[in-house]
Amino acid sequence: MIGLQRRFDPNFQRVRQAVETREVGDPIMIKLCSRDPAPPPFEYVRGGGGIFADMAVHDLDMSRFLAGDDPIDILATGSCHIDKSIEQLEGSEAFDTATCIVRYPNGVQAVIDVCRQSSYGYDQRAEVLGTSGMITTDNVYPNTARVFKPHFTGNADMPYDFFLSRYQEAYVTETIEFCQSLVHDTPVPCTGIDGLVALIMAAAADKSAAENRWVTFREIVQDIYCVDPTHCDTLAGSDVFPEGFKPVADPKDLLLPNVDEQKEGATMDWNVPSPFQ
């Protein structure tokens, strides 16, 4: 079982329930934000795999969890605003702020923003816009007390400032679910495939930010698991990866269309995008 604890948080589970039951209609847009109270030390960031792998991976997984479907491709970008010392690092390790757009089937889009510092506490929210409504979660506070003064009205205390406090209930629920799976010999609710897919999504986000383009998840699987384009047959027929993540089995599928053959007896359609764009 993989410890993607946000799947066991009652707030996110309630949003998932609304999507599954079509309480807000068919999903149109998913929004997620993840902002830490303070940036981690330099030693944590260096060698940690970058902001998409060590932080946004949870939000990428949550977008898939809420969508209830497998993603198609991703566009990501990042920058540094908080800790300028990390700018010397390579790749997305130099980012303390990042944004991702993930495309899902039926035109559903997920927009994710992450930042390593939030001056007002641990900020973890989710929103799903549907065809007949919207559902959203708020941050979790230590209590429900509110203050009412001439110049301020709001929560008496700040949101939780550490993930162990914020997700305490989720960790307990996660542990119970794992033990129940062991005792009753039933499938775990968060599998190794879920963890692997989340990691591939993070790697695709990293590649997208580096190359400034949309990246399909099949590209990542092919880059990592294929010796060359002609030796992906086993993975292409495997159930380990979702369909859109599997590398092509036939090397011919990697080839660009024969432009000369297309020209013969054909008229130019300017609405068709070039394969070289």
Side-chain angles (χ1 to χ4, degrees), residues 222 225-239 246-252:
Q222 195 153 301
Y225 291 94
C226 301
V227 178
D228 58 62
T230 65
H231 289 81
C232 286
D233 294 357
T234 303
L235 279 175
S238 170
D239 292 331
K246 296 177 182 178
V248 293
D250 189 344
K252 291 186 296 184

Side-chain angles (χ1 to χ4, degrees), residues 51-74:
I51 195 169
F52 300 111
D54 73 14
M55 184 176 180
V57 64
H58 288 281
D59 303 275
L60 292 166
D61 172 70
M62 184 50 55
S63 74
R64 179 172 174 254
F65 180 70
L66 296 180
D69 213 334
D70 292 313
I72 299 170
D73 53 8
I74 189 169

Side-chain angles (χ1 to χ4, degrees), residues 96-135:
D96 57 29
T97 306
T99 303
C100 304
I101 302 175
V102 186
R103 290 195 288 207
Y104 283 88
N106 302 316
V108 176
Q109 302 174 47
V111 180
I112 298 167
D113 75 76
V114 295
C115 185
R116 293 200 187 275
Q117 177 174 293
S118 169
S119 60
Y120 50 88
Y122 202 39
D123 191 358
Q124 304 273 302
R125 289 172 286 127
E127 173 190 304
V128 174
L129 173 66
T131 53
S132 61
M134 181 187 75
I135 184 167

Side-chain angles (χ1 to χ4, degrees), residues 184-195:
H184 301 292
D185 194 25
T186 56
V188 293
C190 187
T191 68
I193 293 177
D194 292 322

Side-chain angles (χ1 to χ4, degrees), residues 119-248:
S119 60
Y120 50 88
Y122 202 39
D123 191 358
Q124 304 273 302
R125 289 172 286 127
E127 173 190 304
V128 174
L129 173 66
T131 53
S132 61
M134 181 187 75
I135 184 167
T136 183
T137 66
D138 199 356
N139 287 311
V140 178
Y141 291 78
N143 54 66
T144 60
R146 291 174 62 83
V147 173
F148 296 84
K149 298 174 65 176
H151 304 292
F152 173 78
T153 299
N155 292 87
D157 295 299
M158 299 285 279
Y160 284 116
D161 61 357
F162 192 51
F163 70 93
L164 289 177
S165 303
R166 165 63 180 84
Y167 289 108
Q168 179 180 2
E169 185 176 356
Y171 285 121
V172 172
T173 303
E174 181 180 50
T175 303
I176 293 173
E177 292 278 355
F178 176 60
C179 292
Q180 288 180 340
S181 295
L182 291 177
V183 171
H184 301 292
D185 194 25
T186 56
V188 293
C190 187
T191 68
I193 293 177
D194 292 322
L196 182 60
V197 168
L199 189 59
I200 291 171
M201 292 178 72
D206 202 289
K207 187 178 183 71
S208 173
E211 300 181 5
N212 193 30
R213 66 178 179 88
W214 287 93
V215 173
T216 65
F217 304 107
R218 177 181 284 115
E219 291 182 50
I220 304 302
V221 176
Q222 195 153 301
D223 287 347
I224 296 175
Y225 291 94
C226 301
V227 178
D228 58 62
T230 65
H231 289 81
C232 286
D233 294 357
T234 303
L235 279 175
S238 170
D239 292 331
V240 172
F241 297 103
E243 191 61 38
F245 283 55
K246 296 177 182 178
V248 293

